[in-house]
Amino acid sequence: MSRMRTDTFTVNGERREVAYPAHHTLLEVLREELALTGTKHGCDLGECGTCTVLVNGEPILACLAMAADMAGKSIETVEGLATGPVLHPLQRCFADMGAAQCGYCTPGMLMSAKALLAENAAPSEDEVRSALAGNLCRCTGYQQIVEAVRAAGSELKTQGCGAKGAASHG
Amino acid sequence: MAEVKKPGALIGTPFRRVDAVGKVTGRTLYADDLVFPRSVHMRLLRSNVPHAEIVSIDVSAARALEGVVGVLTGRDMPEPFGILPVSQDEHALCLDKVRFVGDPVAAVAALSEEVADAACKLIKVEYRALATIAGYDDAIDPDKDLIHAYGDDRNFHKKLSMRFGDLDAGFARADLVLEDTVFFEGNTHLPMEMHACTAVPEGDGRVAVHSSTQTPHYLHKALTKVLGIPASWIRVIATTNGGGFGGKTDPFNHEITAAKMALALGRPVRIALSREEVFMCHRGRHPTLMRIKTGFKKDGSIVAQHLKTLLDGGAYGSYGVASTYYTGALQCVTYKIPTYQFDGARVWTNKPPCGPKRGHGTPQPRFAQEIHLDKAALRLGLDPAEMRLQQLQPAGAVTANWLKIGSMGLGPCINAVVEGSRWKERRGKLGFGRGLGIACSSYLSGAGLPIYWNHMPHSGVQLKLDRSGGVAVFCGETECGQGSDSVLAACVADVLGIELSDIRLCVADTDLTPVDLGSYSSRVTLMMGNAALQAAERAKELISGPVAQELGVPAGRLVFADRRVFDSENPACGRSFAEAVVIAESKLGTLGTTGSYTPPRAPGRFRGAGVGPSPAYSYSACIVEVVVDPGTGLVHVPDVWIAHDVGRALNPVLTRGQVEGGIYMGLGEALMEESAFRRLPKKLSNALVHKFPNMLEYKSPTFLEMPRIHTTIVEDPDPNGPYGAKEVGQGPMLPVMPAVANAIFDAVGVRVDQVPIQPWMILKALAEKERGGAGRFGPAEFPAVDYGAALHVPTPEEGGDGKARNADEVGIKGGTMTETRKEIR
Amino acid sequence: MLRLPELDFLSPSTIEEALQMLADDPSGTRVLAGGTDLVPNLKRRHQHARRLVSLGRLASLRGVSGDPAHGLRVGAMTTLRSILKNEVLEQHWPGLIAAVRSISSPVLQSMGTIGGNLCLDTRCTYYNQTEEWRSAIGYCMKEAGDTCWVAPSSSRCWAIAASDAAPLLCAIGARVRLASTRGERELAVEALLCDDGIAYLSKAPDEVLTDVLLPPAGTWKATYWKLRRRGSIDFPVLGVGTALRVGKNGVVEDVRIFLGAVASAPVRALAAESILQGHILDETTLVSAGKAAQEVATALDNTDFTMTWRRQMIPHYVAGTLRELADLPRVGLLGADGLEC
């Protein structure tokens, strides 16, 4: 049957040894081998942005990344955003400002937004739109997402864990 | 009019939606996130030919493949199903013929999805090809093979004709008669979540189906019919939908097949569709060709309208009969149209079936009507906004086609967008290449009739009051992102004066929750909301008696607020809500209430009157600003002003989100989204395939295409709505497409009478204008269709009684939604 | 879930090791760079591999090095995102930055590499489809079939070149270095890309594209304009890479114009170039150059929009690049990546 590999993945700061078929993408390893179903998938072909996760702080699409290429790298998923029961400012702003409707694109949006805020804690509206342009949403029309990302940015900034602080979590 | 309920502390505030935390943490489990022990994976083999008889299916090699545990074909589920009682034309797996590329013919369950896939490729299907029916021309051609053995006339699935009032006299009074031929291309829902389900055998012969469906109740009915086991043995649980937009409102092949497979194997069976398969399931917007003819007086008032529609239905019935009626149903609820004729028809073609997408059947004629009005205003020298304002239907009116309007806030909507966009100063004065366009619309707050005829409530809510002070709320409603869970929880919490966190929801489970018909036709807020209010008011009453007695105050003076029950005249005198429940339970025993909602009876009494009535109609006005580059034909939309009469915004943040999402989808339909098909050269091939069933080439706007949206929420409470609330999920999208088209005309002086409006269409129209032509791009002709004799229904204005004058003379072939009444009962 | 076929995954830690792995089974092995093109193509089964050789661990193939004055070297595995963040490139080759910025979307830019973008498979809406879909049309010439459905009587495949970097790199005369166990060779980007929808690369299957070599900075002023439906995600349906050198007297000393997405390789607009050579770059000249550029394009019905309109757009886009490079005022609202209002 499938050719299996065993590798160690660091997901949300936790090191996990995983045996998995060599042809699996990071998406399959996250959702199926690690049961981290917070990362969703909308096309499996790199066309919609739904499965965005962070690898070494950069947003990538889990459906296009060979899992074997990701071994040893620092992977961050939506499950790693909150600190225990305390929501990340992005999560709080998304929740309160209508940025999640059906919620299916939300994990990917959050991860793209986190990468943006790590570089630029006070993005303009245009900067948010450009940085998130690879993440499709069919519900919101995007406006409330833009507002939530910017609000989270200012919250992070006033908390004194702006660009630098956010990056250090990566 | 009945009094509109006043909100408590919660309703009308921007409270956090109850499902928000689950969604932002990744904890919410969608259908494909569920994993059950011993699950096997199912894949469907789908037809790769557009139209053929199945000669044979050989599954032996698939069965023999290691890892395969089960194989099913059509013979295993011969009972047909379909969402409408009159269109039971689908099989879970095709029986004897396939009708489009994507029609499922066999199913394989295996230990892994990879093995299931590989096994599907080992199945040999022998087909005998039939003629490919690619579009209107093929469908109307009397010599072509038939796609179905039923319908109104060969490949016509449905034909209908209805005349309201003395149309000829209406046209005779006109100062101006305009005629337009308009085309609206098909497009699809494209929810971010692909359909998925898991069927789990439970107990002795029972099965539970966890599925991303907007209509668990109707899926339950279809499963009952096809599986042939008692309904009480089947449980449908709708998982949180990752977007629906109408795309998950039919019972689907994969759901029924998974249930059958799970029963056959005695173990859970999961299936998750690929994005391409979602395009195959479709049931989205019907491509619709329209001929609209309207008579106007000099002052812009309408004296008569005759609308003909021709829908390309794809391969199955789905909601098509309703869709066809809907292309004519709501033309009269915005403006006064005293006489009206509607002729509608739907043809079969060898493409994925069409059905309801946001706006269900009404965006197409709305587009036709609103660009038509723009042209009329120009001809009559009237301001298009002003002209519309003068023609508004009054609140409480009954239209020529017998729809009863409740509250009607379109006037304030028009005023809001006219003011916001500075329409009067700016329209026609922005210079060549920039323009403003206006359009209006209306939509149902739920269909007045259920899909199958019955006298039961459309929505039911059950409350269980707990000694802890918590309230468990049971309802069949389905969350698909629109916020129905939050509306349900908020209505109950608002009435009982408790917090959202005190509410425990149990929803969308046909075993545990009372029926709600589903998340379609923008019905949930109004119908479920009313049911929830009734249940909560009953709970309040239940608690009030014993508590009043305990406190020694009249029950009528008790107030439920701040998690307390207290005397309004002496707020210190009271009990916590939890204590109040204990007092009541001690006195009355276990506490629970129910509430339900049935829409009022509509005044129409003619065949076809079942489509269009609603307890309340929402209204929207929209102004779009466009920038058109006349060199390339490229269009940019910098700003959209939208005002929507929602009756009452139960939560302003969520309401705005629905409005903005509607604008988004509307702009997609206006400028880029289309279900396009490839018909290979006929001499070489029969093939007919979706041109690009993927998210790269089916163009859904990104962050960068979205304009600034200026939203005004107008609140004209409707006596039928909970707290006066009406719908917001679908209506705000409808005026966007015509407003874009009208704005393009204002910008560069040419008309594109079809959507999506593509840059080359604008260039062609500009070139034609330069050559001295009309400067129009759009369909030239409407085919000759015999719609049959019209049903004559006198209007309320003419003193009609809602019945047709010639019902006995007009033989209507096939079914309407309502005429199945006798059969079903 | 749409999944990859079973395969072996190899991740060599030196380039020599990688080349040997390729030499062992050149027909069954594919080089994996960012994966943004290869992975979907493998999932849809129109490209095939028994083994993937990932270049992910080869640090030597990443990064920008060298002296701008003598010509920078960009490692083939340098991600598009790191190119966009590279200040030296930004300073000396803003046109390359413009082209790279227009590639797909930010999430794909942090995966995709410059080498991968150059080696992008040619695209066609009859080809970039699942196995199931393609079986419904009896496949096509590019994969498993006989007919090119874009032009059924044609004996060749008309899939189009969809790289955004390629037209720009062709225009500035960039070169690439290829390595195999047989040795190294260098060739112009223009020579790497072949106008054949099937054999679109002159790179042999056992060769790895290791470096992209830019000419000395200051030799060209270059830019890239892209036509696509949306401001993100989409492949080009037309891309224009233009490189210009103007003398002190304002006369065009040299110009190179390459059109992407109108043929199976970037096409050089020679007729347009000759109209410009030796002339002052004014509005009249550049408009006629734009019109002349249209002649080389064979836009066909295999991507978004209609072919006629895409062809009509060529003069606008060619003229647009020339106006930008000549600092002439913009005509209309068209900018490098759609309308700019």
Side-chain angles (χ1 to χ4, degrees), chain B residues 601-618:
Chain B
R601 195 166 180 227
R605 295 285 173 274
F606 53 93
R607 195 172 280 165
V611 182
S614 176
Y617 296 89
S618 77

PDB file of all heavy atoms in Angstrom, chain B residues 601-618:
ATOM      1  N   ARG B 601     -52.677  32.900   5.659  1.00  0.00           N
ATOM      2  CA  ARG B 601     -53.161  32.402   4.373  1.00  0.00           C
ATOM      3  C   ARG B 601     -53.111  33.544   3.351  1.00  0.00           C
ATOM      4  O   ARG B 601     -53.508  34.676   3.636  1.00  0.00           O
ATOM      5  CB  ARG B 601     -54.597  31.903   4.543  1.00  0.00           C
ATOM      6  CG  ARG B 601     -55.044  31.060   3.399  1.00  0.00           C
ATOM      7  CD  ARG B 601     -56.327  30.308   3.739  1.00  0.00           C
ATOM      8  NE  ARG B 601     -56.717  29.502   2.597  1.00  0.00           N
ATOM      9  CZ  ARG B 601     -57.958  29.462   2.106  1.00  0.00           C
ATOM     10  NH1 ARG B 601     -58.922  30.162   2.669  1.00  0.00           N
ATOM     11  NH2 ARG B 601     -58.242  28.709   1.059  1.00  0.00           N
ATOM     12  N   ALA B 602     -52.604  33.229   2.185  1.00  0.00           N
ATOM     13  CA  ALA B 602     -52.488  34.254   1.141  1.00  0.00           C
ATOM     14  C   ALA B 602     -53.822  34.407   0.428  1.00  0.00           C
ATOM     15  O   ALA B 602     -54.601  33.458   0.361  1.00  0.00           O
ATOM     16  CB  ALA B 602     -51.404  33.844   0.156  1.00  0.00           C
ATOM     17  N   PRO B 603     -54.074  35.606  -0.116  1.00  0.00           N
ATOM     18  CA  PRO B 603     -55.396  35.843  -0.726  1.00  0.00           C
ATOM     19  C   PRO B 603     -55.604  35.178  -2.088  1.00  0.00           C
ATOM     20  O   PRO B 603     -56.744  34.986  -2.493  1.00  0.00           O
ATOM     21  CB  PRO B 603     -55.461  37.369  -0.847  1.00  0.00           C
ATOM     22  CG  PRO B 603     -54.051  37.846  -0.819  1.00  0.00           C
ATOM     23  CD  PRO B 603     -53.275  36.840  -0.014  1.00  0.00           C
ATOM     24  N   GLY B 604     -54.524  34.793  -2.792  1.00  0.00           N
ATOM     25  CA  GLY B 604     -54.688  34.199  -4.129  1.00  0.00           C
ATOM     26  C   GLY B 604     -55.324  32.828  -4.055  1.00  0.00           C
ATOM     27  O   GLY B 604     -55.016  32.034  -3.165  1.00  0.00           O
ATOM     28  N   ARG B 605     -56.245  32.539  -4.993  1.00  0.00           N
ATOM     29  CA  ARG B 605     -56.951  31.248  -4.992  1.00  0.00           C
ATOM     30  C   ARG B 605     -56.838  30.562  -6.346  1.00  0.00           C
ATOM     31  O   ARG B 605     -57.657  29.741  -6.692  1.00  0.00           O
ATOM     32  CB  ARG B 605     -58.444  31.467  -4.684  1.00  0.00           C
ATOM     33  CG  ARG B 605     -58.739  31.998  -3.309  1.00  0.00           C
ATOM     34  CD  ARG B 605     -58.589  30.910  -2.244  1.00  0.00           C
ATOM     35  NE  ARG B 605     -58.724  31.482  -0.920  1.00  0.00           N
ATOM     36  CZ  ARG B 605     -57.718  32.025  -0.242  1.00  0.00           C
ATOM     37  NH1 ARG B 605     -56.504  32.063  -0.773  1.00  0.00           N
ATOM     38  NH2 ARG B 605     -57.887  32.552   0.951  1.00  0.00           N
ATOM     39  N   PHE B 606     -55.863  30.943  -7.129  1.00  0.00           N
ATOM     40  CA  PHE B 606     -55.738  30.375  -8.473  1.00  0.00           C
ATOM     41  C   PHE B 606     -54.537  29.420  -8.489  1.00  0.00           C
ATOM     42  O   PHE B 606     -53.690  29.461  -7.597  1.00  0.00           O
ATOM     43  CB  PHE B 606     -55.534  31.487  -9.503  1.00  0.00           C
ATOM     44  CG  PHE B 606     -54.384  32.407  -9.155  1.00  0.00           C
ATOM     45  CD1 PHE B 606     -53.104  32.173  -9.660  1.00  0.00           C
ATOM     46  CD2 PHE B 606     -54.573  33.504  -8.304  1.00  0.00           C
ATOM     47  CE1 PHE B 606     -52.060  33.010  -9.324  1.00  0.00           C
ATOM     48  CE2 PHE B 606     -53.523  34.344  -7.981  1.00  0.00           C
ATOM     49  CZ  PHE B 606     -52.253  34.086  -8.483  1.00  0.00           C
ATOM     50  N   ARG B 607     -54.518  28.579  -9.495  1.00  0.00           N
ATOM     51  CA  ARG B 607     -53.429  27.618  -9.613  1.00  0.00           C
ATOM     52  C   ARG B 607     -52.121  28.373  -9.892  1.00  0.00           C
ATOM     53  O   ARG B 607     -52.026  29.117 -10.851  1.00  0.00           O
ATOM     54  CB  ARG B 607     -53.737  26.681 -10.771  1.00  0.00           C
ATOM     55  CG  ARG B 607     -52.899  25.444 -10.806  1.00  0.00           C
ATOM     56  CD  ARG B 607     -53.430  24.506 -11.860  1.00  0.00           C
ATOM     57  NE  ARG B 607     -54.587  23.753 -11.367  1.00  0.00           N
ATOM     58  CZ  ARG B 607     -55.418  23.086 -12.168  1.00  0.00           C
ATOM     59  NH1 ARG B 607     -55.281  23.146 -13.477  1.00  0.00           N
ATOM     60  NH2 ARG B 607     -56.412  22.389 -11.661  1.00  0.00           N
ATOM     61  N   GLY B 608     -51.166  28.214  -9.016  1.00  0.00           N
ATOM     62  CA  GLY B 608     -49.916  28.971  -9.157  1.00  0.00           C
ATOM     63  C   GLY B 608     -49.800  30.056  -8.105  1.00  0.00           C
ATOM     64  O   GLY B 608     -48.748  30.676  -7.961  1.00  0.00           O
ATOM     65  N   ALA B 609     -50.902  30.279  -7.376  1.00  0.00           N
ATOM     66  CA  ALA B 609     -50.890  31.333  -6.350  1.00  0.00           C
ATOM     67  C   ALA B 609     -50.006  30.955  -5.169  1.00  0.00           C
ATOM     68  O   ALA B 609     -49.752  31.776  -4.298  1.00  0.00           O
ATOM     69  CB  ALA B 609     -52.304  31.623  -5.859  1.00  0.00           C
ATOM     70  N   GLY B 610     -49.537  29.718  -5.156  1.00  0.00           N
ATOM     71  CA  GLY B 610     -48.727  29.261  -4.037  1.00  0.00           C
ATOM     72  C   GLY B 610     -47.309  29.803  -4.040  1.00  0.00           C
ATOM     73  O   GLY B 610     -46.625  29.755  -3.025  1.00  0.00           O
ATOM     74  N   VAL B 611     -46.873  30.313  -5.175  1.00  0.00           N
ATOM     75  CA  VAL B 611     -45.506  30.828  -5.248  1.00  0.00           C
ATOM     76  C   VAL B 611     -45.536  32.349  -5.259  1.00  0.00           C
ATOM     77  O   VAL B 611     -46.134  32.953  -6.153  1.00  0.00           O
ATOM     78  CB  VAL B 611     -44.777  30.311  -6.505  1.00  0.00           C
ATOM     79  CG1 VAL B 611     -43.344  30.825  -6.535  1.00  0.00           C
ATOM     80  CG2 VAL B 611     -44.788  28.792  -6.525  1.00  0.00           C
ATOM     81  N   GLY B 612     -44.918  32.936  -4.272  1.00  0.00           N
ATOM     82  CA  GLY B 612     -44.878  34.397  -4.179  1.00  0.00           C
ATOM     83  C   GLY B 612     -45.362  34.947  -2.857  1.00  0.00           C
ATOM     84  O   GLY B 612     -44.793  35.899  -2.346  1.00  0.00           O
ATOM     85  N   PRO B 613     -46.424  34.326  -2.276  1.00  0.00           N
ATOM     86  CA  PRO B 613     -46.889  34.866  -1.002  1.00  0.00           C
ATOM     87  C   PRO B 613     -45.843  34.721   0.098  1.00  0.00           C
ATOM     88  O   PRO B 613     -45.109  33.731   0.137  1.00  0.00           O
ATOM     89  CB  PRO B 613     -48.104  34.000  -0.660  1.00  0.00           C
ATOM     90  CG  PRO B 613     -48.537  33.401  -1.928  1.00  0.00           C
ATOM     91  CD  PRO B 613     -47.288  33.236  -2.745  1.00  0.00           C
ATOM     92  N   SER B 614     -45.778  35.722   0.948  1.00  0.00           N
ATOM     93  CA  SER B 614     -44.865  35.690   2.078  1.00  0.00           C
ATOM     94  C   SER B 614     -45.477  36.505   3.203  1.00  0.00           C
ATOM     95  O   SER B 614     -46.232  37.449   2.950  1.00  0.00           O
ATOM     96  CB  SER B 614     -43.520  36.287   1.670  1.00  0.00           C
ATOM     97  OG  SER B 614     -42.651  36.349   2.784  1.00  0.00           O
ATOM     98  N   PRO B 615     -45.156  36.169   4.445  1.00  0.00           N
ATOM     99  CA  PRO B 615     -45.680  36.970   5.563  1.00  0.00           C
ATOM    100  C   PRO B 615     -45.213  38.419   5.489  1.00  0.00           C
ATOM    101  O   PRO B 615     -45.887  39.311   6.013  1.00  0.00           O
ATOM    102  CB  PRO B 615     -45.084  36.277   6.793  1.00  0.00           C
ATOM    103  CG  PRO B 615     -44.718  34.900   6.350  1.00  0.00           C
ATOM    104  CD  PRO B 615     -44.368  35.013   4.906  1.00  0.00           C
ATOM    105  N   ALA B 616     -44.050  38.668   4.886  1.00  0.00           N
ATOM    106  CA  ALA B 616     -43.530  40.032   4.827  1.00  0.00           C
ATOM    107  C   ALA B 616     -42.523  40.137   3.697  1.00  0.00           C
ATOM    108  O   ALA B 616     -41.845  39.163   3.361  1.00  0.00           O
ATOM    109  CB  ALA B 616     -42.853  40.398   6.150  1.00  0.00           C
ATOM    110  N   TYR B 617     -42.430  41.334   3.117  1.00  0.00           N
ATOM    111  CA  TYR B 617     -41.478  41.552   2.035  1.00  0.00           C
ATOM    112  C   TYR B 617     -40.447  42.584   2.463  1.00  0.00           C
ATOM    113  O   TYR B 617     -40.791  43.643   2.996  1.00  0.00           O
ATOM    114  CB  TYR B 617     -42.197  42.031   0.771  1.00  0.00           C
ATOM    115  CG  TYR B 617     -43.153  40.988   0.236  1.00  0.00           C
ATOM    116  CD1 TYR B 617     -44.482  40.949   0.683  1.00  0.00           C
ATOM    117  CD2 TYR B 617     -42.726  40.018  -0.662  1.00  0.00           C
ATOM    118  CE1 TYR B 617     -45.357  39.972   0.223  1.00  0.00           C
ATOM    119  CE2 TYR B 617     -43.595  39.035  -1.123  1.00  0.00           C
ATOM    120  CZ  TYR B 617     -44.920  39.021  -0.677  1.00  0.00           C
ATOM    121  OH  TYR B 617     -45.768  38.042  -1.134  1.00  0.00           O
ATOM    122  N   SER B 618     -39.180  42.255   2.230  1.00  0.00           N
ATOM    123  CA  SER B 618     -38.123  43.228   2.486  1.00  0.00           C
ATOM    124  C   SER B 618     -37.963  44.099   1.243  1.00  0.00           C
ATOM    125  O   SER B 618     -38.389  43.707   0.151  1.00  0.00           O
ATOM    126  CB  SER B 618     -36.802  42.513   2.765  1.00  0.00           C
ATOM    127  OG  SER B 618     -36.241  42.048   1.545  1.00  0.00           O
TER     128      SER B 618
END
